[in-house]
Amino acid sequence: MRTLIVTEFITLDGVVDSPGGGEHPRAGWTFKEVPFVEEAYELKGREQTEAGAMLIGRVSYDEFAPVWPKMDEFAEYNAMPKYVVSSTLADPEWNNTTVLRSLDEVASLKESDEAGTILVHGSPTLAQGLAAAGLVDRYHLLQFPVVLGEGKRLFNGREAGRLQLTEYATYSNGVQKLVYDVVR
């Protein structure tokens, strides 16, 4: 069975909205409000080399697909299989992209014999649904010393269970790497 990992940039108050750009009034808070420290992003590089697939929701697909294929730093993501959970997307243009229509199809993807982890990028609504369905195995969080007060959150209060901290680090800019396994 493949490991499904939700990976997010997150604020102290749990907001994951618009970390690099987007609609939030403080969009880009990861680089506008916190000094860049290269070692804080080591986890992101490791994810890209270890992943076997990327899973995203429709909104994240619409944001990523026009931009990521043009970025050299996302070469592994652009080459790997990508899955979009959507009831409306018909013909994805991003290479190697498959549309899944339900969480049952995500569960089948997890049960496949394919190699590598499945990474969920962005997509807080999808992450909430996956957590509620018991499909999330691990969280990779880079927590930024920022409070936004409002915006899309990773957790909506319907998740149940316990998390076990398995890896952590604090960097000179205040960012914390927090890796949690879901305890079942």
Side-chain angles (χ1 to χ4, degrees), residues 48 52-56 61 64-71 74-84 89 91-99:
Q48 194 171 168
M54 182 168 55
L55 176 68
I56 54 179
Y61 173 83
F64 295 173
V67 179
W68 283 28
K70 300 171 188 163
M71 300 177 73
F74 295 138
E76 286 94 347
Y77 286 136
N78 290 320
M80 74 177 55
K82 291 165 283 300
Y83 298 90
V84 181
L89 183 63
D91 191 22
E93 294 181 14
W94 196 357
N95 79 312
N96 210 9
T97 298
T98 303
V99 177

Side-chain angles (χ1 to χ4, degrees), residues 27 30-31 36 60 64 68 73 83 89 95 131 142 162 183:
T30 58
F31 61 88
F36 178 78
S60 293
F64 295 173
W68 283 28
E73 61 265 33
Y83 298 90
L89 183 63
N95 79 312
L142 287 182
R162 191 170 71 84
V183 177

Side-chain angles (χ1 to χ4, degrees), residues 12-152:
L12 284 173
D13 57 342
V15 175
V16 294
D17 198 347
S18 306
E23 300 295 321
H24 193 279
R26 287 171 55 193
W29 47 268
T30 58
F31 61 88
K32 290 180 180 176
E33 300 189 29
V34 178
F36 178 78
V37 173
E38 186 172 347
E39 59 267 19
Y41 294 88
E42 172 274 335
L43 179 63
K44 294 298 172 189
R46 185 170 18 130
E47 288 172 347
Q48 194 171 168
T49 59
E50 293 175 357
M54 182 168 55
L55 176 68
I56 54 179
R58 174 63 188 264
V59 173
S60 293
Y61 173 83
D62 288 343
E63 291 175 0
F64 295 173
V67 179
W68 283 28
K70 300 171 188 163
M71 300 177 73
D72 291 338
E73 61 265 33
F74 295 138
E76 286 94 347
Y77 286 136
N78 290 320
M80 74 177 55
K82 291 165 283 300
Y83 298 90
V84 181
V85 180
S86 173
S87 61
T88 58
L89 183 63
D91 191 22
E93 294 181 14
W94 196 357
N95 79 312
N96 210 9
T97 298
T98 303
V99 177
L100 304 178
R101 299 290 182 205
S102 69
L103 293 181
D104 288 337
E105 290 185 57
V106 174
S108 294
L109 180 64
K110 276 189 65 171
E111 293 170 5
S112 74
D113 292 333
E114 299 295 320
T117 60
I118 302 168
L119 284 178
V120 180
H121 273 282
S123 307
T125 303
L126 174 59
Q128 291 168 358
L130 293 167
L135 295 173
V136 177
D137 299 301
R138 183 174 298 140
Y139 291 93
H140 286 183
L141 306 176
L142 287 182
Q143 185 180 55
F144 284 69
V146 173
V147 175
L148 296 180
E150 62 183 8
K152 296 175 188 170

